[in-house]
Structures are given as C-alpha cells and as structure tokens.
Amino acid sequence: MMVLDPRLWCLLAFWAGAWLLNSELSKGRSDWVRYAVPLVFGVTMLVLWQVGVTAYSVNKIILPPPSDVLARMMSSKPTLWADLVQTFFKGALSGYAIGCTAAVLVAIAIDRSPFLQAGLLPVGNFVAALPIVGIAPILVMWFGFDWHSKAAVVVVMVFFPVLVNTIAGLAASEVMQRDLMATYSASYWQTLFKLRLPAAMPFIFNGLKIATTLALIGAIVAEFFGSPTRGMGFRITAEIGRLGLDMIWAEIAVAALAGSAFYGAVALIERGVTFWHPSQRH
Amino acid sequence: MKRAIPILTVLGVILAVWYVAAVWMNAPWAYDQAARADQAAPRLMQLPGLTLNQDRPVLPSPHQVIAELVRSTFGLPPSSKKSLVYHAWVTISGTLLGFAVGTTLGVLLAVGIVYNRAMEMSVLPWAIASQMVPIIALAPMLAVVMNAVGATPLMTKAVISAYLSFFPVVVGMVKGLRSPEVMQLDLLQTYAAPGGSVFWKLRLPSSMPYFFASVKVAIAASLVGAIVAELNQQAGLGARLLQGSYYGQTTQIWAALFLSAILAAVLVMLAGRIEARVLTRMGMAR
C-alpha cells in the first residue's frame, strides 16, 4: 500500500480547506462573491504550485515556482517590455488593424453582390477553419525577419473570421427596418451607416474579439520561424535552448496579460458601441 | 449546381491571381539569370515560361505545388521519411489522441461545473479567460518539460492538442448541459425522475448540438496544436514546414500546407457528418 507522506497531506489539506471555503462562499449570492470565488481558486492553485514545487524540490528546469517567475519578471522588465513592443504593438496590433479594416471593407464591398457572397462565404468559412499559422514560414520568407512579416501573418489570420462575421452582421437588419429607411428615401450609404452597420456591430465585434487571440497567436508563432533578436516568440525559443524556464513562464505571463487586456479593451469598446443590444443590458 | 457556380468562380479567380502573382514574384530571379548570362532581359511574353517552373521559386505556381503534393504523397513508399503520408500520419495520430483526451476531460469538467456551483464559480471564469490567452505560446515550453520527463514526441503533441481542444469543449458543453428549459426539467421532476435519469435522458441529449459545435472547433484547434508542437520535433507536418523554411524549399512548404489544409477540412467534415447523422437520429436536425 502506498504511504502518503506528510508533504502530500499538507497539500491535500490546504486544497480541501480552500475548497470548503469556496463551496461556502459560493452559496452567497452577492456581487463580490462572483469575484472572490475565482480569486480564491486562482490563489490556491498558485500556492499549491509554489509549495508543491518547493516541498518536493522539483527541478527548476521542469517547473519553476511562481516566485521565481515573478522575480524574473521584476528583474528583466526592460527585456520583457522590448519583447512586448516588438511582438504585440508592432506585429500583432498593426496586423490586427490592417486585417480587420480590410475585412470590414471587403465585406461591405461584396455585400452588394449576392453572387460574390454565395462564392466567398463558403470559401471564407473554409479558410477560417484551416491551420493558417502554417503560412508563417512563407510570409517570413517574403517580408523578412522583422515585425512586417508578423503583421502579415496576423492580417491573414484575422481577415477571414472578421469577414465572415461582418457579412453575417450586414444581413442582420430586418426587412421592416430596411423598408422604413426606404420610405425615408435614404440612399444606400445612409442606410448603411445609420441602420445596417450599427445593426451589424454585435456580429462585427464577435469577429473582432475572436481576432484578438488569433492576432497574438499569429505574431508569436510567426517568430518561431525567424525574427530579430527580440520578441516574445524569439525569447521563448531562445530560452528553451538555455533551459531558462522562468523566463519562458514570464513571457507567457506577459502574453496572457497582454492578451486579456487586448480582449478586455475590445469588449469595452463593444459595450460602448452596442449599448442597445440585449446582451449588453444588465 | 447553382450553389457551386459562385464558389467555383471565386476559386477560379483565386487561382488566376495566384498565377499572376507567381509570375510577378518570380520574375526578378528570371531577370537576374538573364543579366548574369549576358542575355537580353526576357520579354513579357516569355516570363510565364521562365517563372512558373523554377526550382526554388519565391511563390511556387499551383501546378508545382500539386505536383509536389502528388509526388510526395503517392510517389514514395509511405514508410519513407520524405513521404508526406508518413508525416501526415505522425500529425494525425497526435491530433486524434489529443483530441480524444481533451474532449473527454472537457465533457467531464463541464458535467462537474453544471452540477457543482462551487466548481462553476471557481473554474469557469478561468476557463473563459484562458480563451483570450495565446495558449499556443505554451507549446514549446510544454515540449521541453515533457522531454525532460521523458515523454515520447507523440505524448508531447497529444498533451498540447488536448490542452487546446479542452477549453472549447468545456465552454460549449456547459452551455449545452444547461440548455434544457425549466419546463422540461420541471416535467422530469413531476415524474419523480432521479438525478441520473435527468442527466442521461434530458441534459445529455439536449447538449448534443452544442457538443458537436465545439467538437468542430476543438478538432481544428487540435490540429493546429499538433502542427505547432511539431516545430520542435523531427517528424510531422509542422517539422516539414520548419525544414522547408530552413532550406528555402518553398514548394515543400506549400505542399505541407496544402496537406494540413486538406486534413483540417477532412476532420471538420467528418465531425460534421457524424453530427448530421446523430442529430437526425435524435430528431434534432434543423
């Protein structure tokens, strides 16, 4: 029979205690509970990670404790910031802006032609499901190692989800509403800007939110295929060679923060733009 | 047929644009060769012949890619390390294994979330938040850790694929298991149905449309995960992409890319077929 050693008992006891606390907390209905419970869970995981790694003296090459990662984040702020600028602000954001703008414009352009729609929608849906990251090596070859190639990968990755969603959105206004615009003798562009684009916004933002994650993924993965000596993807591959796992975790933490902040920013804009939509009413 | 015409037109346009782009992007090399051989620069009409069949083109023409695809798929024995069948098999086995594990765990966690409020409130926000995080950035690190623990390449890949397919399934299944209406749940209560029957006869069946919707996302994510994981490995479509990019074998990259696209399409289509079958049998087809 396996004997449980005291370290495992401690960890299990801590886990059980945190779980009891959470199940008690989750019986409450107040607002702060909704934030407290996931927070307790997250902190428990971190503590278990820290204590578990230390108690069992796990090799730091396999799993560094969170305190090491935090220390690394603090000590190499300039490097992390330079990587973030290179990958996120130059690569991901510029590609995101170009790709999303292009997708919305193309959607508006082909919206006028049912023929093009019938042809492009299935193709777009198909392409949106493909492993597009695979084009990264090709685009890196074409556009060089710097952030331009990363932006190009991001453009291709975000284009189709946004295109498909925008086309669906432009069809979202109802016939009655469009008829009303016609009775006002509104021109095509007036109908577009006053009715159809606002009505399409929930769909467009759905695509834009999906695209935030894709943008960061595209920029990071493209750097695995070649990059200047900075950038998150570069740092991850370089630190793998040196077994600097704490630095990799630090980069991942930064990527997670940047990704969540990016998503949150888009969601915030969405709340401002589509304040009228049922999903935004509280 | 009526629906095929616009699609075929669009595909035709893409093909035409591709050919023009191939001529345009490969032309500098042709001009360069002519200049080196001290010949007059090739005229416009000669360009297609000089650009569409280069050995190492900047952009290979579609027929070159297809020729390479056919050659390395059917022209070589499947056991050869140069055969795409071999690499595709390596990728697919990792994808499917990871997908199976990730989906199973995802469904189990979703059941836990639906039946346990504490679990829902602690785990679900993190599961949703993890969707906004570029999880793929974890892939290379997971590969190192798994290597250090002594896992095979297949297991490494499967873990990453499982991880990527896990979250879409959790989020979709939670929605699905919650989709029965209060009226239906009340009806089962009036029958004095035990909890097990409520789950097997109402919640699980009504979650199927959601399940298949997330399965289609998850299998595509699994494939991407397997390909990215292979960037650090010796075999598989991802490794093939990286080798191609190291040695400037553009045709090889495009062939691997086409094959991964075909794989993705086949996997998603298979999932769609199974979905249609199951939903029809259950009388839920729309």
Side-chain angles (χ1 to χ4, degrees), chain A residues 19 22-29 33-35 37-39 41-43 61-63 114-116 118-120 122-123 126 129-135 137-138 141-142 212-213 216-217 220-221 224-225 236-237 240 243 245 248-249 252 255-257 259-260 263-264, chain B residues 3 5-7 9-11 14 25 58-60 116-123 125-126 129-138 140-141 144-145 148-149 220 223-224 227-228 231-232 238 241-242 244-250 253-254 257 260-262 264-265 268:
Chain A
W19 190 252
N22 253 359
S23 53
E24 280 310 309
L25 272 180
S26 60
K27 282 178 191 147
R29 298 268 158 185
V33 165
R34 291 190 18 212
Y35 297 99
V37 174
L39 209 65
F41 181 76
V43 171
I61 290 172
I62 294 178
L63 191 63
F115 182 81
L116 272 183
L120 266 177
V123 176
F126 175 72
L130 295 184
I132 300 187
V133 281
I135 60 157
I138 295 160
M141 245 179 233
W142 287 358
T212 54
T213 320
L216 213 46
I217 289 176
I220 292 177
V221 173
F224 295 159
F225 290 95
I236 289 173
T237 23
I240 284 175
L243 292 178
L245 265 269
I248 299 180
W249 276 103
I252 288 171
L257 284 178
S260 317
Y263 188 95
Chain B
R3 278 170 52 199
I5 291 174
I7 301 177
T9 319
V10 167
L11 290 179
I14 292 175
M25 294 184 77
V58 181
L59 173 62
N116 186 330
R117 193 171 152 75
M119 205 159 167
E120 175 197 357
M121 293 184 76
S122 351
V123 181
W126 292 102
S130 71
Q131 301 267 290
M132 310 165 201
V133 172
I135 295 177
I136 276 193
L138 281 172
M141 190 205 54
V144 176
V145 174
V149 184
L223 185 64
V224 174
I227 290 176
V228 173
L231 294 180
N232 305 343
L241 282 177
L242 196 67
S245 102
Y246 277 165
Y247 301 117
Q249 296 285 354
T250 39
I253 301 182
W254 279 98
L257 199 57
S260 45
I262 294 170
V268 173

Side-chain angles (χ1 to χ4, degrees), chain B residues 6-266:
Chain B
I7 301 177
L8 290 178
T9 319
V10 167
L11 290 179
V13 170
I14 292 175
L15 211 62
V17 169
W18 187 340
Y19 268 111
V20 173
V23 170
W24 180 62
M25 294 184 77
N26 298 332
W29 192 81
Y31 283 123
D32 203 36
Q33 287 299 103
R36 278 184 201 185
D38 278 333
Q39 291 162 351
R43 267 168 295 142
L44 200 57
M45 292 328 294
Q46 295 172 312
L47 270 183
L50 289 171
T51 50
L52 294 183
N53 291 303
Q54 291 175 0
D55 260 350
R56 289 187 171 195
V58 181
L59 173 62
S61 52
H63 66 258
Q64 275 179 302
V65 176
I66 294 186
E68 165 76 14
L69 192 59
V70 170
R71 191 188 63 81
S72 49
T73 312
F74 302 109
L76 295 163
S79 55
S80 156
K81 292 251 149 106
K82 284 182 176 171
S83 162
L84 273 184
V85 177
Y86 166 76
H87 289 289
W89 168 245
V90 171
T91 304
I92 274 226
S93 53
T95 306
L96 289 182
L97 183 60
F99 170 75
V101 173
T103 309
T104 315
L105 290 180
V107 171
L108 289 180
L109 183 65
V111 173
I113 284 177
V114 168
Y115 278 98
N116 186 330
R117 193 171 152 75
M119 205 159 167
E120 175 197 357
M121 293 184 76
S122 351
V123 181
L124 198 58
W126 292 102
I128 294 172
S130 71
Q131 301 267 290
M132 310 165 201
V133 172
I135 295 177
I136 276 193
L138 281 172
M141 190 205 54
L142 267 177
V144 176
V145 174
M146 300 283 294
N147 264 337
V149 184
T152 59
L154 175 69
M155 275 164 68
T156 308
K157 233 180 318 185
V159 166
I160 293 167
S161 286
Y163 193 63
L164 284 177
S165 55
F166 175 70
F167 291 106
V169 173
V170 172
V171 175
M173 273 307 273
V174 168
K175 247 190 208 163
L177 291 172
R178 290 247 166 86
S179 61
E181 284 161 36
V182 183
M183 287 275 272
Q184 298 171 313
L185 288 168
D186 282 353
L187 180 66
L188 285 197
Q189 200 148 31
T190 62
Y191 293 160
S197 314
V198 176
F199 178 75
W200 290 111
K201 301 204 164 148
L202 177 59
R203 283 194 190 271
L204 196 64
S206 44
S207 72
M208 279 303 120
Y210 297 84
F211 174 71
F212 281 109
S214 34
V215 154
K216 281 192 264 183
V217 176
I219 192 113
S222 287
L223 185 64
V224 174
I227 290 176
V228 173
E230 281 162 357
L231 294 180
N232 305 343
Q233 294 181 355
Q234 305 302 320
L237 292 175
R240 196 87 175 147
L241 282 177
L242 196 67
Q243 284 160 14
S245 102
Y246 277 165
Y247 301 117
Q249 296 285 354
T250 39
T251 326
Q252 181 188 322
I253 301 182
W254 279 98
L257 199 57
F258 265 48
L259 193 60
S260 45
I262 294 170
L263 278 188
V266 169

Side-chain angles (χ1 to χ4, degrees), chain A residues 140-154:
Chain A
V140 170
M141 245 179 233
W142 287 358
F143 295 101
F145 280 178
D146 208 354
W147 60 270
H148 305 91
S149 58
K150 282 71 198 175
V153 174
V154 174

Side-chain angles (χ1 to χ4, degrees), chain A:
Chain A
M1 210 182 100
M2 218 180 82
V3 183
L4 295 177
D5 64 316
R7 294 174 293 188
L8 191 57
W9 275 115
C10 285
L11 291 180
L12 283 178
F14 182 75
W15 170 262
W19 190 252
L20 269 180
L21 173 67
N22 253 359
S23 53
E24 280 310 309
L25 272 180
S26 60
K27 282 178 191 147
R29 298 268 158 185
S30 51
D31 254 0
W32 64 272
V33 165
R34 291 190 18 212
Y35 297 99
V37 174
L39 209 65
V40 169
F41 181 76
V43 171
T44 310
M45 293 307 268
L46 277 183
V47 170
L48 283 181
W49 177 0
Q50 175 78 39
V51 175
V53 168
T54 323
Y56 283 91
S57 43
V58 173
N59 194 338
K60 285 189 176 172
I61 290 172
I62 294 178
L63 191 63
S67 57
D68 274 24
V69 177
L70 197 67
R72 168 64 69 173
M73 279 175 85
M74 288 301 136
S75 66
S76 39
K77 266 187 220 148
T79 319
L80 288 171
W81 176 248
D83 291 347
L84 185 69
V85 168
Q86 171 75 18
T87 305
F88 182 66
F89 290 107
K90 288 187 183 165
L93 266 190
S94 57
Y96 181 81
I98 299 172
C100 293
T101 316
V104 171
L105 292 182
V106 169
I108 292 174
I110 63 174
D111 175 62
R112 291 188 105 164
S113 151
F115 182 81
L116 272 183
Q117 266 190 56
L120 266 177
L121 258 189
V123 176
N125 269 324
F126 175 72
V127 175
L130 295 184
I132 300 187
V133 281
I135 60 157
I138 295 160
L139 292 180
V140 170
M141 245 179 233
W142 287 358
F143 295 101
F145 280 178
D146 208 354
W147 60 270
H148 305 91
S149 58
K150 282 71 198 175
V153 174
V154 174
V155 167
V156 181
M157 280 186 81
V158 302
F159 183 80
F160 289 101
V162 178
L163 178 79
V164 171
N165 274 293
T166 310
I167 291 181
L170 286 174
S173 61
E174 282 161 37
V175 183
M176 284 282 272
Q177 299 169 325
R178 268 173 280 166
D179 282 353
L180 181 65
M181 291 306 271
T183 62
Y184 293 160
S185 81
S187 70
Y188 169 80
W189 293 106
Q190 280 172 326
T191 315
L192 184 69
F193 283 114
K194 308 248 157 166
L195 169 65
R196 301 184 55 212
L197 271 182
M201 279 305 159
F203 293 83
I204 297 180
F205 271 99
N206 189 25
L208 290 181
K209 284 196 283 190
I210 297 172
T212 54
T213 320
L214 291 177
L216 213 46
I217 289 176
I220 292 177
V221 173
E223 283 178 359
F224 295 159
F225 290 95
S227 68
T229 53
R230 57 185 180 281
M232 301 170 131
F234 165 79
R235 194 72 55 204
I236 289 173
T237 23
E239 292 292 331
I240 284 175
R242 300 171 40 194
L243 292 178
L245 265 269
D246 51 348
M247 188 63 185
I248 299 180
W249 276 103
E251 287 286 353
I252 288 171
V254 172
L257 284 178
S260 317
F262 192 12
Y263 188 95
V266 174
L268 213 63
I269 300 174
E270 178 188 23
R271 187 175 283 189
V273 173
T274 64
F275 58 89
W276 48 269
H277 195 259
S279 69
Q280 298 294 339
R281 288 189 211 133
H282 292 295

